[in-house]
Amino acid sequence: MSLLQEAKRVAAQFEYNTDALNKGVKEFIREMDEGLQKQGSTLSQIPTYVTAVPNGTEKGLYLAVDLGGTNFRVCSIQLHGNTTFSLTQSKVAIPHELMVAKTSRELFSFLAKQIEIFLKTHHQDHFEAHVRRRKTMSTAEGYRDEQIFSLGFTFSFPVDQIGINKGNLIRWTKGFDIHDTVGKDVCALLQEEINALHLPVKVAALVNDTVGTLMARSYTSPGKTGTLLGAIFGTGTNGAYVEKLDRITKMASMEGSTDYDRSTGEMIVNTEWGSFDNQLSVLPNTPYDDALDKESVNPGIQMFEKRVSGMFLGEILRRALLALSKDPKIQLFNDETSSSNDVHSTTSIADDSALYKQWGIDTSFLSIVQADQSAGLKNTRQALSRDLNVHAASIEDAEAAKAIVAAVGKRAARLGAVAMGGIVISTGKLHSSSSPSITKEAKAAGQAARDHKGSHIAEVSKESTESEPSITDQAASAGQAARDGRAGAANEAATSTSDVSEDDIVDIGVDGSLVEYYPGFEDHIREALREIPEIGPEGEKRIRIGIAKDGSGVGAALIALIAGKVKPPTESTGSSES
């Protein structure tokens, strides 16, 4: 058996056929229903207390902060009311001593101070006017509600959310370890320190970034259809969607806030779908998946995410390539003489090769290989040398690697379609022409102003912004190829849906490196959606998938808008409007 045939044999282990796909969809819907009915289910189905989505006509100035790891980001977002927005932001590293502080106050007072610095730097006129009002007003509070910024707080740590702006920390992760904070309401802790500095800011919403993705997409999406689902396919994967309130029956027995708007009859639910089918009743499993899971930090947990998200795809590929390279019967990255290699040099794997290191292969490598159309797969062979330290890889080596890369990526996308398809079917949106959480008239009102749709991002300074993870020029080219493919798919979708009423569109917002940079990822999702009988080719045409950026920024601001009972300042700032 040739090397390519052996590679195709391994690739076949990642096949996820139509029958398996549909079994997965049925199980996903079953776990969705179970999660809506009771706590402790595999699919968490967490109520977010967010009961409406924006329609693109909203205006105002809002704040958002994002504590997602070792950096803290502060943003102000000016919503223009025509689906566009301007964003000003700053970012600062969290000192390590505050990540392991003895008291919550040490960390949260630092966060509040960064908000104060941001306001003084970028909204000085409003800040100083607030200070003057506070000193001269006779009320005990010192200022009126309408002079307060509403703030969305993206807090990317496990919390038990019990209200729109209430959530108790379950545990710290990502290097934080402040025992004093566990079990406390993180919004209240931040608000206390904001109040201590007399800042005109109210923590209006506790935000999950996936919910923010849904909100950001709904604000910027074309047409008058509200967004049904926000999905992330990046380092991790998750989805949040609009559900009917009366279906979330477990809320009747949950300890939490009852102070939320019921008038829409809907609420956004955070699925936490990374844990779908942890019991592996329907998910595909290969020896490479099994080994990855056993050697992970959380064996038996997040089994869906370990087959779909960017964090794990490179490791799955590494284990498959390593197994082939170690098989003495298979000549992957190994030839007996240089004469058998088209570059006339003996192929070898360096001792420090990434092939031998857990998590040694980044998902950007898969994007490069998947996009490679060069003669003799030159780009793939260069990537093997540069990223994996495989010297003088042959065309056959590159072909073998490409076959397995394609299989791993395609399976991930088709699994993504299980989650997407399950939500589309469960919510009945293909059989309903109503838009989530808003009237068609309200969405239509924003359409007239959408001819110049877009967003302008003004960075505060080079030092204050965190760059994206560096990738090679070839990875960037692969990303461009993916974007070009997405544009082509979008144009094709626009053509195929030209006869579909806007009322019948099901809008989905997506974010993450896989949907942005991995060539063909959306195409594979759409192919799988067509294979689901309840959706089929006609239903798939009605599903519009669009990129939604910055769920933790603009999405958080939009949640603050929906949640806040105060009227925000409506000033415009020069720094964000240039």
Side-chain angles (χ1 to χ4, degrees), residues 174 200 207 321 381 448 482 495:
K174 306 175 187 178
V207 178
L321 292 177
R381 295 155 79 186
T495 301

Side-chain angles (χ1 to χ4, degrees), residues 500-512:
V500 178
S501 166
E502 176 64 32
D503 291 339
D504 294 329
I505 292 293
V506 177
D507 192 79
I508 294 175
V510 293
D511 191 14

Side-chain angles (χ1 to χ4, degrees), residues 224-240:
K224 59 181 180 176
T225 302
T227 301
L228 170 67
L229 167 66
I232 292 178
F233 296 100
T235 304
T237 184
N238 191 22

